[in-house]
């Protein structure tokens, strides 16, 4: 998962937990792992070494994890490092503060190696969030879109995915316990202590262990003592199920860290109730992690929506600058001034509309957007966008003409959708075509209609690289464009689908051309 070039910094004040975490990270493939016992010490490590990933506990002396996170995000040298916070507490205010400060992922203790691995992968695969970039001042503060995150009530149905390990050296006992529990939980079996330890140390440990005491080799007491001695297994709850009914035996089991002690012969219904109650506590831990994950995902979605808007704002601003430059070149030409003044007015209004687009993009990504479709003069909108790009890319000396069917009536090329969303689609795609086309070549655009749809075809010389074609519409997919964010085509497809349309890519290597086909509902 981690490459053999990845350098990781683990920050944890408890030596035992830090050593286990370091070992796990090394097993994930890290080249080197630096260690620190608090945030202040971690800052010294960062000042002296290059690091690719940070894993930090929250509650630490000298400097806490959240204070350390703030210092990291305040430094231009470190602020884009993936930062995974590890904590035993999941209070909403704490989670919200960490998200606001730009944390990449939060892992709730106790956690399995598989959980840590998955959160590290997610943190490394998503762009780091910088606190100053999480909100655009004046853009969304007045357009908050709240989606409540609540921990769902726990019921028997929600426990179905829980995993219980049954440990007993007698096959009949294993069969009896499995028959009592298999309809509500996933069951793993072990007929000796060593096998039980191996399962608990794996990347997919059980959520609960039902453990016999008297077994050959490693006894149940020794298994529990070993589990409690290691940080990656100490959290696993263990219930003894044994024929040893002496008070001293029960006392010893509870002193070692068992959560319950059930004597044989068992009462089947009582056993089921005790297991259910324990699994409900396990479920609440799952739900806490899920709630934290949802909060981070929502914050990420809002940040990405705003990033798309920032990306789209560049186009109109470039068009305004280009128009001003044209006016400056011919300050006495009234026709030029009038033409470009109208263009500036059009682009300025588009800027205002795009600022308001942020909340809509957020709703679309969250699946809560409701389209209020209106009739759109599609040909005129596309022509306006082409004109803006013509001015912005004048230095490339490209030609671009919009071909429309002859004899088209006034509304024959109208589509149904949202004008603001469609403008953003056209601008992203036309701008990309102008950027990709070689100098002195052509960008070709056409629009046509059948009974129910409007089809727009946009093509340019130059073919999309082979390695990017399969992920052309994926978020952050980009190739060979300096400063490219990889969200233009992703945003375009998202907005087309939100208007009940489709967007497809075709590449012709023989003709060395790239073609985009947009299909929209006809008015």
């Amino acid at each position: 998962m981690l490459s053999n070039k990845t350098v990781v910094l683990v920050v944890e004040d408890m030596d035992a937990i830090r050593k286990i975490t370091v070992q796990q990270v090394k097993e994930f493939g890290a080249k080197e792992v630096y260690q620190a016992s608090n945030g202040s010490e971690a800052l010294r490590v960062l000042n002296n070494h290059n690091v690719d990933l940070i894993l930090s506990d929250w509650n630490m002396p000298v400097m806490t994890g959240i204070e350390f996170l703030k210092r990291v995000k305040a430094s231009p040298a470190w602020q884009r490092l993936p930062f995974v916070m590890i904590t035993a507490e999941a209070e909403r205010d704490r989670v919200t503060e960490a998200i606001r400060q730009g944390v990449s992922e939060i892992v709730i203790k106790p956690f399995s190696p598989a959980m840590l691995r998955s959160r590290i992968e997610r943190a490394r695969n998503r762009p780091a969030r910088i606190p100053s970039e999480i909100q655009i001042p004046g853009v969304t503060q007045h357009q908050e879109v709240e989606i409540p995150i609540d921990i769902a009530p726990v019921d028997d149905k929600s426990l179905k995915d829980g995993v219980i390990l049954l440990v007993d050296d007698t096959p009949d006992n294993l069969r009896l316990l499995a028959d009592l529990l298999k309809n509500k939980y996933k069951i793993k079996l072990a007929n000796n202590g060593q096998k039980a330890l191996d399962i608990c140390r794996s990347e997919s440990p059980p959520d609960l262990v039902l453990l016999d005491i008297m077994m050959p080799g490693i006894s149940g007491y020794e298994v529990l003592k070993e589990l409690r001695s290691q940080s990656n297994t100490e959290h696993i709850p263990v219930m003894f199920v044994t024929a040893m009914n002496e008070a001293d035996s029960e006392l010893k089991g509870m002193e070692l860290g068992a959560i319950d002690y059930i004597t044989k012969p068992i009462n089947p219904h009582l056993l089921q109730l005790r297991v259910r109650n324990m699994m409900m506590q396990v479920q609440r831990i799952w739900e806490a992690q899920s709630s934290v994950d949802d909060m981070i995902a929502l914050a990420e979605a809002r940040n990405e929506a705003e990033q798309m808007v920032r990306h789209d704002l560049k186009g109109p601003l470039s068009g305004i600058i280009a128009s001003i430059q044209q006016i400056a070149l011919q300050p006495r030409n009234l026709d030029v001034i009038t033409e470009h003044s109208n263009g500036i007015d059009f682009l300025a209004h588009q800027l205002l509309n795009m600022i308001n687009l942020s909340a809509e993009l957020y709703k679309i990504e969250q699946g809560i957007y409701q389209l209020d479709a209106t009739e759109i003069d599609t040909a005129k909108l596309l022509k306006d966008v082409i004109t803006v790009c013509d001015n912005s890319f004048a230095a490339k000396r490209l030609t671009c003409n919009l071909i429309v069917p002859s004899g088209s009536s006034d509304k024959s090329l109208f589509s149904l959708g949202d004008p603001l969303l469609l403008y953003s689609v056209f601008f992203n795609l036309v701008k990309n075509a102008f950027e990709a086309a070689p100098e002195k070549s052509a960008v070709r655009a056409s629009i046509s209609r059948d009974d129910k749809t409007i089809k727009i075809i946009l093509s340019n010389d130059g073919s999309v690289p082979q390695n990017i074609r399969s992920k052309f519409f994926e978020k952050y997919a980009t190739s060979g464009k300096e400063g490219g964010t990889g969200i233009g085509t992703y945003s375009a497809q998202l907005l087309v689908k939100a208007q009940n349309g489709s967007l497809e890519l075709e590449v012709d290597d023989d003709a060395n051309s790239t073609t985009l086909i947009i299909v929209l509902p006809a008015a």
Side-chain angles (χ1 to χ4, degrees), residues 180 266-276:
L180 289 173
I266 62 172
N267 179 323
H269 185 57
L270 183 59
L271 174 74
Q272 290 171 329
L273 289 176
R274 287 179 167 178
V275 169
R276 186 202 65 179

Side-chain angles (χ1 to χ4, degrees), residues 29-244:
K31 171 187 176 182
E32 190 167 3
V33 183
Y34 294 111
Q35 303 180 44
S37 60
N38 58 66
S40 181
E41 187 177 318
L43 288 175
R44 289 196 292 272
V45 173
L46 289 176
N47 277 316
N48 292 296
H49 303 280
N50 292 324
V51 168
D52 304 304
L53 170 70
I54 299 172
L55 305 181
S56 176
D57 188 27
W58 189 307
N59 294 319
M60 298 181 293
V62 184
M63 181 184 291
T64 65
I66 194 69
E67 292 169 339
F68 175 48
L69 173 63
K70 291 177 182 178
R71 295 285 293 273
V72 168
K73 292 298 179 177
S75 168
W78 309 327
Q79 60 186 193
R80 298 197 178 276
L81 291 176
F83 193 114
V84 179
M85 187 78 79
I86 300 172
T87 178
E89 302 176 40
E91 290 89 347
R92 189 181 184 90
D93 289 347
R94 288 168 63 96
V95 173
T96 300
E97 174 65 8
I99 292 172
R100 191 173 69 84
Q101 296 302 331
V103 74
S104 304
E105 284 289 339
I106 297 176
V107 181
I108 304 298
K109 298 177 183 178
F111 56 86
S112 66
M115 171 71 75
L116 181 61
R117 178 195 292 267
S118 69
R119 295 311 182 270
I120 289 175
E121 287 179 348
R122 293 198 332 194
R124 284 172 55 81
N125 289 335
R126 66 166 44 130
R129 295 182 301 115
I130 315 305
S132 61
E133 297 177 0
I134 291 175
Q135 293 282 354
I136 304 175
V139 173
T140 57
Q141 284 85 340
H142 63 289
Q143 293 179 322
E144 290 297 327
V145 181
E146 290 293 337
I147 299 179
I149 308 279
D150 295 312
I151 296 179
V154 177
D155 56 34
D156 284 355
K157 290 182 180 179
S158 67
L159 301 178
K160 183 64 178 176
D161 291 333
V163 178
I164 298 178
L165 172 62
L166 308 178
V167 189
D168 199 303
D169 63 313
T170 304
D172 287 344
N173 290 340
L174 286 177
R175 190 177 300 109
L176 172 62
L177 292 173
D179 288 343
L180 289 173
L181 302 172
K182 67 183 181 182
N183 290 332
K184 288 187 177 179
Y185 315 102
K186 294 178 181 178
I187 303 299
K188 292 184 177 182
L189 304 177
N191 59 7
N192 60 70
Q194 185 57 55
K195 186 175 180 180
L197 288 172
D198 291 342
I199 292 173
C200 290
R201 292 166 178 162
S202 71
E203 287 205 0
S204 301
D207 300 302
L208 174 64
V209 178
L210 270 58
L211 179 63
D212 187 24
I213 293 178
M214 295 184 295
M215 296 184 295
I218 304 176
S219 71
Y221 288 142
E222 291 172 310
V223 170
L224 179 56
K225 185 176 181 180
E226 186 68 19
L227 292 177
R228 292 294 176 260
S229 69
Q230 299 181 15
S231 63
N232 60 331
T233 58
E234 64 177 356
H235 66 280
I236 301 174
V238 174
M239 299 172 62
F240 277 125
V241 182
T242 177
M244 297 175 63

Side-chain angles (χ1 to χ4, degrees), residues 465 467-468 477-481:
N467 67 323
I468 204 77
T478 185
S479 176
K481 184 168 69 174

